Amino acid sequence: MSHTYEKVSGNKAKLSFVIPAEKFDEALQLAFLKLRKRINVPGFRRGKAPRRMIETIYGESVFYDDAFEIVSQDAYSEAIKEYDLHPVDRPQADIDEIGAGKDLKFHVEVFVRPDVTLGEYKGLTVEADLQKLTDEMVDARIEEDRNKASRTIDVEDRPVQEGDTVNLDYAGSVDGVPFAGGTAEGQTLTIGSHQFIPGFEEQMIGMQLGEEKDLNVRFPDEYHAEELKGKDAVFHVKVNGIQMTEKPELDDDFAADISEFDTFKAYRESIVSELTKQIEKNNDVTIENALVGKAAENAQMDIPEAMIEDQADYMVREMGMRMSYQGLRMEDYLKYTGQTMDDLKKMYMPEAEKRVRTELTIEAIRKAENIEPTEEDIEKEIAEQAERMGQDVETFKKNLTDEQKEYLKENAAIRLVLDLLKKDAKVEEKKEEESTEKPAKKPAAKKTKKTEGEEAEKKPAKKTAAKKTGTDEEKPAEKPAAKKPAAKKTEKEDAE
């Protein structure tokens, strides 16, 4: 068997193969043994007809496809390994010559991972939007602990107020006709949470325990149920129970109850220390992303469309997984937003291209600098991952699979690349752009929640560059594996 390699254009590679006649004949015999029981030949029991008889009836090419499949897989895999190619799509195979007693000749064209020409990546100057710790951040963090330490009290001596949690029954109707999903009993609702349509919660303020009342509301024009959009509705509600939340005072007793500190001052100082460390980590990630982004901008590469599409497909699946954790189904999301899977994929394409470009740039820098993590580097990565997972290091390490170990090794290498980029880099704090012209005043737009797809994610560059396993919550772009060439179909009759 022999093969040759040539670069056709850009990132398209052509592999040409010649399989000796005797090897292809062996493959034909294997194909015959595999298929004979599925071929019906008059006068013979299934599987007992001679090969020559079957070829006479159905044509000599009856076993070509399967024989080609047998020999091409090994030949293709061997060539990919020898030339160190990294295919990014399914290869297209074309047969040049085929037949019993003849050398099999075919060629394969496939897009491979592109060559990267690095630009400047050392000593870069970048702007970064860095966080600063504020009193508001500290107060918000303390308020989280305060909410956790709060208790719920039943209320009987006053009407419903903003912030109360109400247990209610309701029955909705449009033009006097009940509609699907408009009736419930024992429903819990926090007044002011805006869980229900506009006007519903506001009209419940002032209702007494046990009181019944009709609420007149209007469904939004952009409501997910088509039949209810913009419709006036009446909800008959009954208040079954009222509860209020009692929050503790922010004093030494509070600090002692929810922390290891005896005074509120010491507890607050610990929150400041905790948030400071978190902000430092966040800023470090921001700087890393800015540096990798700049290095990627300076690099030249011709990215195959297949790589970007694969990454976009993965990002859509990743979105679906995140939604499933929240009890949402992709089918329902698409229905409510009026989108299709193709719409989501198209939306993700720019970010997908950015991710692929970043990954390729990091790989190129690693190769150019001959970066290989030491055992100490890998052990450090394992320890950090174990800490993120909340596990004992030795236990975590003991349960790692080979694939997970390889992933952590890759992450350790990426960490070294990021350290190299930061070594002599100059980071300037991003300044807000000031406009010399006063913008025309516009009516305040009604704020809406961002969809999963619209929410921009800030992730460390390392998350986009390594193949990920179950050792972490999020999975970055997978590296496509080499795929076997698809045989060019020969015409043959149905042998069944």
Side-chain angles (χ1 to χ4, degrees):
M1 180 183 67
S2 62
H3 47 71
T4 59
Y5 160 73
E6 64 177 296
K7 196 170 184 178
V8 180
S9 61
N11 301 306
K12 199 171 189 179
K14 179 180 180 181
L15 296 166
S16 300
F17 299 86
V18 177
I19 308 296
E22 58 270 20
K23 192 170 185 65
F24 183 65
D25 286 342
E26 290 175 6
L28 284 171
Q29 181 63 16
L30 290 174
F32 159 68
L33 296 175
K34 173 185 173 183
L35 299 174
R36 61 182 177 178
K37 290 185 179 180
R38 289 162 33 196
I39 299 176
N40 184 32
V41 177
F44 292 89
R45 284 183 298 154
R46 281 187 179 271
K48 298 299 181 181
R51 172 180 160 185
R52 189 166 297 278
M53 178 69 72
I54 296 173
E55 291 175 336
T56 299
I57 295 175
Y58 294 105
E60 188 182 86
S61 65
V62 66
F63 300 118
Y64 283 3
D65 280 358
D66 289 272
F68 177 82
E69 192 77 10
I70 291 171
V71 296
S72 64
Q73 291 185 51
D74 290 341
Y76 178 71
S77 297
E78 181 181 317
I80 289 297
K81 184 177 181 180
E82 179 175 331
Y83 298 117
D84 192 27
L85 301 177
H86 302 277
V88 297
D89 68 343
R90 183 173 176 80
Q92 176 65 46
D94 290 293
I95 298 174
D96 302 310
E97 187 175 347
I98 190 171
K102 299 178 181 179
D103 290 345
L104 170 64
K105 298 178 181 180
F106 68 98
H107 65 272
V108 172
E109 291 188 354
V110 64
F111 282 101
V112 297
R113 293 175 78 83
D115 294 327
V116 177
T117 302
L118 290 170
E120 186 180 5
Y121 61 89
K122 292 181 180 179
L124 295 175
T125 298
V126 294
E127 285 188 343
D129 189 7
L130 303 180
Q131 287 183 313
K132 288 184 176 66
L133 183 64
T134 64
D135 288 339
E136 288 76 15
M137 291 181 185
V138 178
D139 292 340
R141 173 65 177 79
I142 292 174
E143 191 65 19
E144 288 180 15
D145 284 346
R146 191 184 188 194
N147 289 332
K148 292 176 183 177
S150 299
R151 63 188 185 121
T152 302
I153 302 173
D154 290 328
V155 175
E156 297 180 354
D157 58 351
R158 65 164 175 78
V160 175
Q161 295 180 359
E162 180 86 6
D164 286 346
T165 299
V166 179
N167 183 286
L168 71 154
D169 301 336
Y170 62 81
S173 60
V174 173
D175 296 330
V177 180
F179 53 86
T183 303
E185 294 182 355
Q187 181 77 27
T188 299
L189 172 65
T190 299
I191 304 301
S193 63
H194 306 295
Q195 287 180 266
F196 283 23
I197 59 177
F200 189 103
E201 296 171 29
E202 292 84 346
Q203 292 180 63
M204 289 198 66
I205 294 176
M207 291 185 67
Q208 298 285 348
L209 181 65
E211 182 181 351
E212 297 186 39
K213 180 180 178 180
D214 285 340
L215 310 182
N216 296 295
V217 297
R218 180 183 179 85
F219 282 98
D221 293 335
E222 299 302 319
Y223 197 65
H224 61 80
E226 189 69 32
E227 67 278 9
L228 296 176
K229 287 183 177 180
K231 294 290 183 68
D232 292 321
V234 176
F235 279 89
H236 183 77
V237 301
K238 178 184 177 183
V239 177
N240 301 320
I242 306 172
Q243 292 183 322
M244 64 172 288
T245 300
E246 185 179 70
K247 296 183 179 182
E249 293 295 326
L250 298 179
D251 52 21
D252 292 346
D253 290 337
F254 166 75
D257 286 341
I258 57 93
S259 74
E260 60 187 48
F261 303 97
D262 296 328
T263 66
F264 183 78
K265 179 181 179 182
Y267 159 70
R268 194 178 195 282
E269 288 174 350
S270 73
I271 296 298
V272 170
S273 177
E274 174 190 327
L275 292 179
T276 298
K277 291 177 182 178
Q278 185 59 55
I279 286 176
E280 288 174 353
K281 287 183 179 179
N282 292 343
N283 286 343
D284 199 38
V285 170
T286 299
I287 292 170
E288 288 172 355
N289 284 337
L291 289 169
V292 172
K294 188 70 173 290
E297 288 178 10
N298 294 341
Q300 295 182 359
M301 63 193 82
D302 182 14
I303 304 175
E305 192 69 17
M307 289 188 74
I308 301 173
E309 290 182 355
D310 283 349
Q311 178 63 32
D313 284 335
Y314 170 75
M315 293 171 74
V316 171
R317 294 196 303 272
E318 188 179 44
M319 171 185 170
M321 188 176 299
R322 290 196 305 270
M323 290 173 61
S324 69
Y325 294 153
Q326 302 171 21
L328 302 175
R329 296 193 313 160
M330 177 63 78
E331 294 84 354
D332 294 333
Y333 172 79
L334 294 175
K335 178 182 177 182
Y336 294 152
T337 60
Q339 292 178 293
T340 66
M341 292 295 283
D342 286 340
D343 292 334
L344 288 182
K345 182 177 176 180
K346 184 177 180 180
M347 179 180 67
Y348 274 124
M349 288 293 279
E351 179 63 22
E353 181 177 3
K354 184 178 178 181
R355 284 195 185 187
V356 172
R357 177 174 287 274
T358 298
E359 176 185 345
L360 292 171
T361 301
I362 290 177
E363 287 183 356
I365 294 174
R366 179 183 175 184
K367 185 176 181 181
E369 297 289 337
N370 294 315
I371 292 176
E372 195 63 34
T374 63
E375 285 300 319
E376 183 180 352
D377 295 326
I378 298 171
E379 288 295 325
K380 182 180 178 182
E381 183 66 30
I382 290 175
E384 291 179 356
Q385 185 75 334
E387 183 181 351
R388 286 192 291 267
M389 300 290 288
Q391 296 184 23
D392 173 72
V393 176
E394 292 304 317
T395 302
F396 175 77
K397 186 176 178 180
K398 183 179 179 181
N399 294 324
L400 287 174
T401 65
D402 290 341
E403 186 179 9
Q404 290 167 342
K405 290 176 183 177
E406 186 61 28
Y407 157 69
L408 292 171
K409 179 181 177 181
E410 289 298 307
N411 259 13
I414 294 166
R415 167 53 50 202
L416 295 175
V417 172
L418 296 176
D419 290 343
L420 173 71
L421 295 181
K422 290 189 292 183
K423 185 178 179 182
D424 298 314
K426 183 179 179 182
V427 181
E428 298 175 350
E429 191 168 350
K430 195 171 185 179
K431 298 179 181 178
E432 294 183 8
E433 296 182 4
E434 297 182 2
S435 177
T436 56
E437 297 182 9
K438 292 184 179 180
K441 290 186 178 180
K442 296 181 181 179
K446 184 178 180 181
K447 291 185 179 179
T448 58
K449 292 183 178 180
K450 288 185 178 181
T451 65
E452 286 277 350
E454 293 169 333
E455 189 67 32
E457 297 181 57
K458 290 186 178 180
K459 300 181 180 179
K462 64 188 287 186
K463 298 298 182 185
T464 66
K467 186 173 181 181
K468 210 149 188 187
T469 66
T471 59
D472 204 354
E473 293 178 359
E474 295 191 56
K475 183 180 179 184
E478 294 183 36
K479 297 179 181 179
K483 301 175 182 177
K484 63 184 179 182
K488 183 177 179 180
K489 298 292 182 181
T490 54
E491 296 183 2
K492 68 175 183 180
E493 302 176 40
D494 185 359
E496 299 295 329

